[in-house]
Amino acid sequence: MEPMPGRVRADPMVIVGGGVAGGNAAAALREEGFGGRIVLVSKEPGVPFGRPPLSKTYLRSEEELQGWYVRPAAWYPENSVEVLTGSRVQGVDAAAHTVALDSGQEVRYQKLLLATGGKNRRLEVPGADLAGIHSLRTVAECDAIKAEVEANRHAVVVGMGFIGCEVAASLAQLGVRVTALVSGDAPLDKVLGADVGGVVAGFHRANGVELLTRERAAAFAGTDRVTAVVTATGTRIACDFAVVGVGIAVDVPPVVGDSVALSNGILADEFCRTSAADVYAAGDVANQLHPLFGRVRVEHFNNAEKQGAAAGRSMLGSDAPYDYVHTFWSDQYEHKIEYVGHAVTWDEFVVRGSIADGRLIGFYLQDGIVRAAVGVDRGGDPEADSGGEMAAAARLVAQRARSTRGVLADERTDLWSLTRDK
Ligand SMILES: Cc1cc2nc3c(=O)[nH]c(=O)nc-3n(C[C@H](O)[C@H](O)[C@H](O)COP(=O)(O)OP(=O)(O)OC[C@H]3O[C@@H](n4cnc5c(N)ncnc54)[C@H](O)[C@@H]3O)c2cc1C
């Protein structure tokens, strides 16, 4: 790649955020041949790692986290990447090209990546500060939930998005009795639709989780510790502990000097550039102008990994737009959900396989165009199984393929035959 244009070349590349996006940006900078200083600032302890095991294998004490490190801990000193852990950027001056750390130190940058992710939303209800009420994003928060786990204790999981579903599944697998509050009619129905939501509900019920639909937490009761959750309809559920999974809010440090435009996250273009010169954004915090999907901000591991690396390459002057066809997965019990594409709304949902059997690929169509697909225990991992049905679905999404219910639902149709490069 071209040598760095612009700012004083001796100034470092600075990455704010030591998650998957920040870690992959640092790796891409080095691995694409950038020889200058790289400084990665992270509020958390430890090196960048992936969070997926925190609601699954690590929570169930089946796996340590090393396998999820973006790069082994020794890679950073070996590659002269300066990792400032437990350190918070409290402000950015985008005109002066400096970041201010909570230690009082000021760090100049030639290019800056904001990969600051999100922080858990809190429930603003009475009793929300009681001990025994948990949320989950960090290792420390996961360890606190692990410390509550004991067979036959009773947990209430508030919110059945992906984190709530996975935590409910893991707790049930550990012998904890789980009651879950679902704001809609079924877990995940807003993201995946009513049909797949119903399948997911079946998985949880089959494993003994009690689902209370159209319910929200209105208050937590207890003196020192939570002893019950009171729902909006007045039901009181006695519990030993609670886990709240009601989404995240993006975490953006204050920026002065040159404004960084915000709207549902940090607005970034196809090259991960923000509105401020030399400032980039990637991962959960970035609302990117995607060549295929338009404006999109997602909260998925695969995006954080690939967009972080793409931002690193853009910081080095790459002119390749970031056009990854989004994918994500969720593991609940023995079940695997895979998703490709991006569809917030759709006018047709086509099932290939069987809702009743809980094994299917579902296609989300808008005006006859395949915008996204979900695989439930079927279709393979589109990242790992390049010949599988979900990989074919990803190709259909990338090609904005048109299709029909009759063709997609017909098991005799080879999905690859519908792609342009069969
Ligand atoms: C429990 C759990 C399970 C998940 N499972 C899956 C899954 O199965 N599949 C999937 O696709 N996705 C999953 N995800 C989502 C995925 O982990 C996120 O999309 C990913 O973590 C986003 O990475 P990121 O680097 O953008 O942000 P983050 O991981 O949030 O990292 C941002 C980092 O920046 C730091 N930071 C923020 N502000 C500052 C500041 N001012 N100064 C210094 N540091 C700062 C934060 O402390 C944090 O360390 C899961 C998430 C969680 C929490």
Side-chain angles (χ1 to χ4, degrees):
M1 264 174 208
E2 292 296 303
M4 286 300 310
R7 307 295 304 178
V8 180
R9 288 174 194 211
D11 289 339
M13 296 290 201
V14 173
I15 297 166
V16 190
V20 167
N24 276 283
L29 285 170
R30 260 309 167 257
E31 287 159 10
E32 295 288 340
F34 177 67
R37 280 181 68 204
I38 302 172
V39 178
L40 187 149
V41 189
S42 180
K43 271 196 294 199
E44 285 182 273
V47 292
F49 75 102
R51 303 184 193 280
L54 298 184
S55 49
K56 313 177 189 74
T57 47
Y58 180 82
L59 178 56
R60 298 194 300 269
S61 302
E62 295 168 7
E63 187 185 29
E64 290 302 320
L65 295 174
Q66 282 81 352
W68 287 87
Y69 286 0
V70 171
R71 290 290 179 278
W75 180 89
Y76 299 86
E78 281 166 14
N79 288 276
S80 305
V81 173
E82 300 163 47
V83 182
L84 307 183
T85 54
S87 189
R88 189 166 64 87
V89 165
Q90 48 190 22
V92 175
D93 187 330
H97 279 58
T98 55
V99 298
L101 307 185
D102 53 357
S103 61
Q105 196 192 341
E106 198 173 81
V107 182
R108 287 187 58 82
Y109 62 83
Q110 52 172 295
K111 304 240 171 170
L112 175 72
L113 174 64
L114 297 173
T116 44
K119 50 190 173 193
N120 290 319
R121 281 213 188 90
R122 259 178 54 86
L123 279 179
E124 300 298 335
V125 300
D129 288 328
L130 285 169
I133 301 172
H134 302 271
S135 57
L136 177 58
R137 188 137 185 114
T138 64
V139 180
E141 288 164 338
C142 186
D143 287 338
I145 297 172
K146 282 171 94 161
E148 299 274 14
V149 170
E150 226 175 87
N152 300 320
R153 291 192 97 205
H154 186 188
V156 173
V157 173
V158 180
M160 283 292 269
F162 285 103
I163 304 294
C165 280
E166 292 178 359
V167 169
S170 289
L171 293 178
Q173 286 173 293
L174 292 167
V176 174
R177 198 153 66 80
V178 179
T179 302
L181 304 189
V182 186
S183 61
D185 290 318
L188 301 172
D189 61 348
K190 289 186 199 71
V191 196
L192 301 178
D195 288 338
V196 178
V199 171
V200 175
F203 294 159
H204 286 282
R205 291 197 175 109
N207 283 277
V209 171
E210 183 188 16
L211 299 178
L212 302 184
T213 57
R214 295 198 165 269
E215 275 288 26
R216 293 168 185 276
F220 295 94
T223 37
D224 302 327
R225 267 186 70 87
V226 65
T227 53
V229 179
V230 182
T231 72
T233 62
T235 305
R236 189 183 177 91
I237 310 156
C239 66
D240 297 301
F241 67 101
V243 182
V244 176
V246 292
I248 63 165
V250 292
D251 198 356
V252 185
V255 180
V256 296
D258 192 358
S259 83
V260 164
L262 303 177
S263 176
N264 178 28
I266 300 175
L267 293 181
D269 68 9
E270 301 92 315
F271 308 99
C272 308
R273 297 179 301 207
T274 73
S275 56
D278 299 326
V279 181
Y280 296 71
D284 283 12
V285 79
N287 185 352
Q288 193 223 351
L289 192 56
H290 190 282
L292 195 59
F293 303 118
R295 281 259 161 236
V296 52
R297 188 180 74 75
V298 295
E299 296 163 9
H300 308 146
F301 175 91
N302 290 342
N303 173 62
E305 178 179 63
K306 292 176 171 58
Q307 197 176 34
R313 292 191 295 272
S314 288
M315 291 162 85
L316 296 176
S318 163
D319 58 3
Y322 176 67
D323 60 359
Y324 177 61
V325 177
H326 291 285
T327 65
F328 67 81
W329 81 96
S330 174
D331 297 332
Q332 297 170 37
Y333 313 99
E334 70 276 29
H335 303 292
K336 195 139 195 98
I337 298 171
E338 300 280 355
Y339 186 99
V340 299
H342 183 71
V344 179
T345 57
W346 54 91
D347 57 24
E348 198 174 4
F349 182 67
V350 177
V351 173
R352 181 181 173 93
S354 163
I355 292 279
D357 296 345
R359 280 173 64 87
L360 65 133
I361 295 183
F363 294 93
Y364 302 87
L365 275 68
Q366 184 74 42
D367 302 323
I369 297 173
V370 182
R371 304 293 301 186
V374 64
V376 183
D377 290 334
R378 175 169 169 166
D381 172 355
E383 296 277 292
D385 181 6
S386 58
E389 287 181 302
M390 285 303 281
R395 191 70 60 83
L396 293 174
V397 171
Q399 295 178 347
R400 297 176 199 262
R402 282 187 175 279
S403 197
T404 61
R405 178 177 297 276
V407 170
L408 291 168
D410 187 341
E411 294 281 5
R412 291 164 303 184
T413 308
D414 174 359
L415 295 178
W416 286 102
S417 73
L418 307 178
T419 65
R420 280 204 291 275
D421 43 356
K422 326 170 175 158

